[in-house]
Amino acid sequence: VNRKDRAFWERQQQTPLYAALTRHTGRSPRPFHVPGHKGGRSFDPEGLERFSAILPLDLTEITGLDDLHQAEGVIAAAEALAAEAFEAEMTRFLVAGSTVGNIALIMTICRPGEKILVQRNSHKSVFHGIMLAQARPVYIVPAIDPDTGIAACLRREDVERALQAHPDAKALFLTNPTYYGMGTDLAKMALLVHRYNIPLLVDEAHGAHYGFHPALPPSAMQSGADAAVQSTHKTGTSMTMTSMLHVQGERINRERLGQVLAMLQSSSPSYPLMASLDLARRHMVFHYAAEAERILPQLALLRERLSRLPWLGTAVCAESSVYSTLDPFKLLLSLRSGQLNGYQLQARLEERGIFPELAQTGHLLLAASTGTSPEDLEWLWRALEEISAGQAATLATLPPSGLLASAYLREQAVPMEAAVYAGKRLVELEQAEGLISAEMVIPYPPGIPLLAPGERIDADAIAVLRELRAGGARFHGVTDGRLERIAVLEKV
Amino acid sequence: VNRKDRAFWERQQQTPLYAALTRHTGRSPRPFHVPGHKGGRSFDPEGLERFSAILPLDLTEITGLDDLHQAEGVIAAAEALAAEAFEAEMTRFLVAGSTVGNIALIMTICRPGEKILVQRNSHKSVFHGIMLAQARPVYIVPAIDPDTGIAACLRREDVERALQAHPDAKALFLTNPTYYGMGTDLAKMALLVHRYNIPLLVDEAHGAHYGFHPALPPSAMQSGADAAVQSTHKTGTSMTMTSMLHVQGERINRERLGQVLAMLQSSSPSYPLMASLDLARRHMVFHYAAEAERILPQLALLRERLSRLPWLGTAVCAESSVYSTLDPFKLLLSLRSGQLNGYQLQARLEERGIFPELAQTGHLLLAASTGTSPEDLEWLWRALEEISAGQAATLATLPPSGLLASAYLREQAVPMEAAVYAGKRLVELEQAEGLISAEMVIPYPPGIPLLAPGERIDADAIAVLRELRAGGARFHGVTDGRLERIAVLEKV
């Protein structure tokens, strides 16, 4: 399908959008259009140090620079090259993160009241998409990794059961890989879902690099998914907040998708951000594999070294794992010493200049990438060795993490969007048992809702939330950011 | 209220968010978090030229960098300084343009089925907000500027009539200034609307600079509006796609607003973009007035010179105007020669390196700013003089512009969001008379919908659209970007 002949490599050398921007700048244009800073001529003097090189590219939809919402020039060309590189039939650049891609897919697929099968440990944007589409979610609870207690992937048998029980469902929306790097066999999942003739939609926010090196799992597009949303900024090499939406096949209405994207995305999209997608696509085609080749063996070595520290467990994908792929760039550490929890280990590392991706009571997640240097890994290893010196040999089991499976099984007492519009009041978290949540409670990161609006709050949810709160987790979606109080429906 | 004492100036010197980013970078951190480029270490080599200085600031929600969606650290501090500078009680940074601010305000104010009074020549994001909120718009048609044929502002008597006829309306949403720089007396409008005890919401996308120089009209916040959305990037000095949402008083539910913003904005907001808001606020407080002082007299001189060209009219705010304020940075040229239309004048200027903001058949809009240099204006004047040489003295009236008043009076045959979900088919534009539009037809710029979904297409709409199409206008929201065909409802 994707023949990498000489013409492919020649085409992929081009960066039509970035080239158009630099070409325009080279003409010393006289700008009588927005933005107001006019290439940096009116800008904070101190800030210019950092911003001066990029501001001339901070342009708008003038002649020759196309229009993201109706692309037929350089943006369309850049998207077409991305589609070729990522093996999609159509690719759309996103300037509002994978958030907008997930929402747009659900609004494209579901009309009000229609059902969609959804992995329960999805990113909050999936829940928000369901609310905006007024769809009816049918949650499928993922398998739990017994080594770490972390929610992993959907089992195919659970998906099949849901497909049979809900023949009117319009799609399956799953996350692959998860925030922690765990993945399922997507090709088999696609075959299964397609037997029921509905599309497989994949939140591939954490898998923009998949398929770009033999040690990495195949991407959603390569596996036959109908649509995939990738945070190119997370594991690829574009700027933060830039993502891509890939589509193939006939199961997605592309016109409606375009209209929804035009509705949700800014009518003044950032050209430097879009250009960074154009550049990232080229960089990934030509340099990703070589850069990965340099750092992956070092990561393997680090994993080996880490296995010598009895107080730290590292996730390893084995025959018996509940997941079938694991992103080699993600280092998920489980804390087995009773003396140090994830937040404390994070603080110790940060004192040493090492900034992790995520801390939870029992875990620490480190996200490496092609931008990680061998020195970074050496530094990390030395820091962990040092911290290790203080760790007693006594191993304890820490309290369950906030992402345990039981946290995903709650009664949807009221439909999600109805709960959002109902009267609400604040109660102490400790006194909320049995009441119905009026808000989405989202520990962040990873941004996976623990409670959705309309769900009944049980003792288990309260216990997990108290634990996260005590650990210093941040909460999105809530009225009280400290989660001392929680919003519940006034009338039950 | 906003006492500019010594403490004010000292506080406003701070840029807490930008400072935190540079401080973090100065520590030579080892990043084990997203983004994948890790400060630019894995990035397209050619692109690095432009991006290398900014990439180290392209960070994420790590320790010390706060969280846009639950701000309580450096982002909250930066927003508080912005609130003080823009004279709001609360300011929220927006990374998805004013689009997301307009949508969020409507979703905050209106529950499904509730009414909202809306200026008909609003930006498409206002219509999208209405659709997402499932609100019922009550359009108020603006006064038309007889000199240019361009839709300007709402008349207070029309607003009062609508307030009386619709006592159940939840808010008035208006645009001030318009894309063309025309504005109303907002303070009087606020008094009127508040007599009916509903909030005045202002799309102030084109007025982020208002209130920052004596020659500029007061801002929406200064005029007593309840909420205002400003494209800081357009007329202020931040990067494209960054905006601010200002709120004051008790008529807006701030909690709900925060939840809606968290739903619609990326969970990976761009730190460089947010930092540019922090920098722009400081820059505008300390430098905007002086920079405006340097260029405004030059703009006045240019207007004077332009009045010597009989084939060009320039908008001037007079006692008899249907608008009461005019942004001195906007130059709206009306083409009075029968030989050259707006698109052709645009092309002639672009040949000379001058890039206008907007061309329409009968108009050209030039947007100056504090980033405009006297040389730019001189260059523009010489170019127009040169082009002038070829213009005959015979003055003709061009066909009416696409933004004439009659373009705003259509029958809403079906509710907007119902039309979006109904069955549709494509017909030739010329054969669509009497049918019901299934899509939003948005000439861009300025992005003001000419047809909303559910509206009946009349001969007038077809004529205006054909004219815009012939002139080479772009269309957003439509299935056929060239608008040869238009989507209509299958069953009427």
Side-chain angles (χ1 to χ4, degrees):
Chain A
V1 179
N2 182 30
R3 296 179 309 119
K4 296 196 175 165
D5 55 8
R6 192 172 145 177
F8 170 88
W9 298 107
E10 276 172 10
R11 275 193 304 277
Q12 291 288 327
Q13 276 291 357
Q14 311 298 315
T15 49
L17 175 54
Y18 180 67
L21 291 171
T22 53
R23 208 161 46 234
H24 181 83
T25 303
R27 295 176 63 184
S28 306
R30 307 276 174 177
F32 283 90
H33 53 75
V34 295
H37 66 65
K38 311 271 180 192
R41 290 193 290 176
S42 182
F43 202 78
D44 181 83
E46 185 197 347
L48 261 184
E49 255 176 66
R50 291 280 181 179
F51 286 81
S52 62
I54 204 71
L55 292 176
L57 307 192
D58 191 33
L59 293 160
T60 190
E61 289 81 7
I62 52 176
T63 304
L65 296 188
D66 208 3
D67 180 340
L68 176 67
H69 296 294
Q70 206 79 42
E72 42 192 37
V74 292
I75 294 176
E79 288 178 331
L81 286 171
E84 186 183 44
F86 289 89
E87 300 179 41
E89 287 174 15
M90 183 193 82
T91 291
R92 291 292 308 266
F93 285 179
L94 306 177
V95 291
S98 293
T99 293
V100 80
N102 286 342
I103 294 176
L105 276 179
I106 296 170
M107 288 184 70
T108 299
I109 292 291
C110 292
R111 296 179 182 209
E114 289 183 343
K115 277 185 197 167
I116 183 166
L117 307 179
V118 180
Q119 183 167 342
R120 185 56 170 89
N121 55 334
S122 292
H123 184 258
K124 60 177 177 161
S125 56
V126 174
F127 294 80
H128 291 150
I130 291 167
M131 288 169 68
L132 288 168
Q134 301 173 65
R136 293 285 156 264
V138 175
Y139 296 122
I140 310 180
V141 174
I144 303 303
D145 174 32
D147 293 339
T148 58
I150 282 176
C153 311
L154 298 187
R155 291 184 203 87
R156 271 197 304 285
E157 55 267 33
D158 292 342
V159 171
E160 180 136 37
R161 208 172 300 125
L163 285 164
Q164 284 165 351
H166 303 278
D168 51 345
K170 297 300 173 189
L172 169 65
F173 205 124
L174 59 73
T175 303
N176 199 79
T178 66
Y179 192 73
Y180 303 93
M182 298 162 180
T184 188
D185 186 329
L186 262 192
K188 286 187 187 156
M189 194 66 88
L191 284 175
L192 166 62
V193 172
H194 289 162
R195 275 206 279 118
Y196 291 79
N197 204 24
I198 60 171
L200 173 62
L201 316 178
V202 181
D203 177 353
E204 203 176 20
H206 302 280
H209 57 322
Y210 276 22
F212 277 85
H213 184 278
L216 295 170
S219 71
M221 281 293 110
Q222 291 170 333
S223 305
D226 299 87
V229 182
Q230 293 182 324
S231 292
T232 320
H233 63 95
K234 285 196 175 92
T235 59
T237 60
S238 63
M239 281 186 79
T240 301
M241 207 157 82
T242 61
S243 293
M244 293 190 198
L245 173 52
H246 305 298
V247 175
Q248 63 188 355
E250 303 303 321
R251 291 188 190 89
I252 312 280
N253 182 336
R254 298 183 194 181
E255 277 166 27
R256 172 141 177 87
L257 180 62
Q259 288 175 344
V260 175
L261 284 175
M263 184 183 297
L264 297 172
Q265 292 202 102
S266 171
S267 59
S268 301
S270 164
Y271 273 88
L273 293 193
M274 291 191 282
S276 85
L277 281 172
D278 198 20
L279 291 165
R281 184 265 315 151
R282 177 171 73 181
H283 174 247
M284 291 174 76
V285 165
F286 288 95
H287 300 287
Y288 192 90
E291 291 181 3
E293 196 64 34
R294 277 200 293 274
I295 196 67
L296 284 175
Q298 308 287 328
L299 276 162
L301 177 68
L302 177 65
R303 273 176 206 277
E304 212 182 289
R305 284 170 154 185
L306 288 172
S307 68
R308 290 183 224 148
L309 304 182
W311 59 282
L312 275 185
T314 46
V316 177
C317 187
E319 198 62 41
S320 62
S321 297
V322 296
Y323 46 93
S324 42
T325 61
L326 187 66
D327 182 353
F329 285 104
K330 288 271 168 77
L331 274 175
L332 175 58
L333 307 181
S334 306
L335 285 137
R336 292 177 178 166
S337 142
Q339 292 162 287
L340 211 58
N341 69 24
Y343 302 104
Q344 290 160 337
L345 178 56
Q346 177 182 35
R348 300 272 188 98
L349 288 173
E350 287 181 356
E351 285 165 14
R352 292 160 172 86
I354 293 162
F355 288 82
E357 171 68 23
L358 166 88
Q360 288 169 327
T361 311
H363 306 102
L364 192 82
L365 182 66
L366 297 157
S369 78
T370 47
T372 303
S373 67
E375 294 73 39
D376 289 338
L377 299 182
E378 192 58 35
W379 196 270
L380 171 63
W381 168 243
R382 286 201 206 142
L384 287 171
E385 255 191 325
E386 238 179 80
I387 296 164
S388 199
Q391 295 303 302
T394 54
L395 301 186
T397 308
L398 282 171
S401 153
L403 295 175
L404 273 181
S406 57
Y408 298 115
L409 295 164
R410 311 211 184 290
E411 179 203 350
Q412 185 83 41
V414 171
M416 225 185 321
E417 72 278 5
V420 167
Y421 284 112
K424 50 195 73 167
R425 62 190 169 98
L426 283 171
V427 298
E428 300 286 317
L429 177 61
E430 285 74 6
Q431 280 150 34
E433 191 178 338
L435 302 177
I436 297 170
S437 178
E439 57 194 7
M440 197 172 286
V441 183
I442 311 159
Y444 195 85
I448 296 167
L450 209 130
L451 275 173
E455 287 187 335
R456 198 177 298 279
I457 302 163
D458 56 23
D460 184 46
I462 294 171
V464 169
L465 289 172
R466 289 186 62 184
E467 180 208 322
L468 286 164
R469 187 179 66 184
R474 291 192 299 276
F475 296 94
H476 283 178
V478 293
T479 311
D480 172 7
R482 310 225 163 267
L483 211 66
E484 277 164 23
R485 296 188 297 166
I486 186 168
V488 298
L489 295 197
E490 249 170 11
K491 295 169 198 163
V492 182
Chain B
V1 181
N2 184 27
R3 294 179 311 118
K4 296 197 175 165
D5 53 9
R6 191 172 148 176
F8 170 87
W9 298 106
E10 276 173 11
R11 273 193 304 277
Q12 291 288 328
Q13 276 291 357
Q14 311 298 315
T15 50
L17 175 55
Y18 180 67
L21 291 170
T22 53
R23 209 161 45 232
H24 181 83
T25 303
R27 295 176 62 183
S28 307
R30 309 276 174 176
F32 282 91
H33 53 77
V34 295
H37 65 66
K38 311 269 180 194
R41 291 194 289 175
S42 182
F43 202 78
D44 181 82
E46 185 197 346
L48 261 184
E49 254 176 67
R50 290 279 182 181
F51 286 81
S52 62
I54 205 71
L55 292 176
L57 307 192
D58 192 33
L59 292 160
T60 190
E61 290 81 5
I62 51 175
T63 303
L65 296 188
D66 208 2
D67 179 340
L68 177 66
H69 297 294
Q70 206 80 43
E72 43 192 36
V74 291
I75 295 176
E79 289 178 330
L81 286 171
E84 185 182 45
F86 290 87
E87 301 181 38
E89 286 174 15
M90 183 192 82
T91 291
R92 291 292 307 265
F93 284 179
L94 305 177
V95 291
S98 293
T99 293
V100 79
N102 286 342
I103 294 176
L105 275 180
I106 297 171
M107 289 184 69
T108 299
I109 291 290
C110 293
R111 297 180 180 208
E114 290 184 341
K115 278 185 198 168
I116 184 165
L117 307 180
V118 180
Q119 183 166 341
R120 184 59 169 89
N121 57 331
S122 292
H123 185 258
K124 61 176 177 162
S125 56
V126 173
F127 294 80
H128 291 150
I130 291 168
M131 289 169 68
L132 288 168
Q134 300 172 68
R136 293 285 156 264
V138 176
Y139 297 121
I140 310 179
V141 174
I144 302 302
D145 174 33
D147 293 340
T148 58
I150 282 177
C153 312
L154 298 187
R155 292 184 203 85
R156 271 197 305 284
E157 55 267 34
D158 292 341
V159 171
E160 179 135 38
R161 208 171 301 123
L163 286 163
Q164 283 165 351
H166 303 279
D168 50 345
K170 297 299 174 189
L172 169 66
F173 204 124
L174 59 74
T175 304
N176 200 80
T178 66
Y179 192 72
Y180 303 92
M182 298 162 180
T184 188
D185 185 329
L186 262 192
K188 286 187 186 155
M189 193 67 88
L191 284 176
L192 167 61
V193 173
H194 288 161
R195 273 205 280 118
Y196 291 78
N197 204 24
I198 60 172
L200 172 63
L201 315 179
V202 180
D203 177 351
E204 202 175 22
H206 302 281
H209 57 322
Y210 276 23
F212 277 84
H213 184 278
L216 296 170
S219 70
M221 281 293 111
Q222 290 170 334
S223 305
D226 300 270
V229 182
Q230 293 182 325
S231 291
T232 320
H233 63 96
K234 285 197 176 90
T235 58
T237 60
S238 63
M239 283 186 78
T240 300
M241 207 159 81
T242 60
S243 294
M244 294 191 198
L245 174 51
H246 305 297
V247 176
Q248 63 188 355
E250 303 303 320
R251 291 188 189 87
I252 312 280
N253 181 337
R254 298 184 192 180
E255 275 167 28
R256 173 139 177 88
L257 180 61
Q259 288 174 345
V260 175
L261 284 175
M263 185 182 297
L264 296 171
Q265 292 203 102
S266 171
S267 59
S268 300
S270 164
Y271 272 88
L273 292 193
M274 290 191 282
S276 85
L277 281 172
D278 198 20
L279 291 165
R281 184 266 314 152
R282 178 171 71 180
H283 174 247
M284 291 174 75
V285 165
F286 288 96
H287 300 287
Y288 191 89
E291 290 182 5
E293 196 64 33
R294 277 199 294 274
I295 196 68
L296 284 175
Q298 308 287 327
L299 277 161
L301 177 67
L302 177 65
R303 273 176 206 276
E304 211 182 288
R305 284 169 152 186
L306 288 172
S307 68
R308 289 182 226 149
L309 303 182
W311 59 283
L312 276 184
T314 46
V316 176
C317 187
E319 198 61 42
S320 61
S321 297
V322 297
Y323 46 93
S324 42
T325 62
L326 186 65
D327 182 353
F329 286 103
K330 288 270 169 77
L331 274 175
L332 175 58
L333 307 181
S334 306
L335 284 136
R336 293 177 179 165
S337 142
Q339 293 162 285
L340 210 59
N341 69 25
Y343 302 104
Q344 291 160 336
L345 178 57
Q346 176 181 37
R348 301 271 187 101
L349 288 173
E350 287 181 356
E351 284 166 13
R352 291 161 172 86
I354 292 164
F355 288 81
E357 171 69 22
L358 165 88
Q360 287 170 328
T361 310
H363 306 101
L364 193 81
L365 182 65
L366 297 158
S369 77
T370 47
T372 302
S373 67
E375 294 72 40
D376 289 338
L377 298 182
E378 193 57 35
W379 197 270
L380 171 64
W381 168 243
R382 285 200 207 144
L384 287 171
E385 255 191 326
E386 238 178 80
I387 296 164
S388 198
Q391 295 303 302
T394 55
L395 302 185
T397 308
L398 283 172
S401 153
L403 294 175
L404 272 181
S406 58
Y408 296 117
L409 295 164
R410 309 209 187 290
E411 178 203 350
Q412 184 83 40
V414 171
M416 224 184 322
E417 73 277 5
V420 167
Y421 284 113
K424 50 195 72 167
R425 63 190 169 98
L426 282 171
V427 298
E428 301 286 316
L429 177 61
E430 285 73 8
Q431 279 149 35
E433 191 178 339
L435 302 177
I436 296 169
S437 178
E439 55 194 8
M440 196 172 286
V441 183
I442 312 159
Y444 194 86
I448 296 168
L450 208 131
L451 275 173
E455 288 186 335
R456 199 177 298 279
I457 302 164
D458 55 23
D460 183 48
I462 293 172
V464 170
L465 289 172
R466 289 186 63 184
E467 181 208 323
L468 286 164
R469 187 179 67 185
R474 292 192 297 276
F475 296 95
H476 282 178
V478 294
T479 311
D480 172 7
R482 311 225 163 266
L483 212 66
E484 278 164 20
R485 296 188 295 165
I486 186 169
V488 298
L489 294 198
E490 249 169 13
K491 295 170 200 164
V492 181

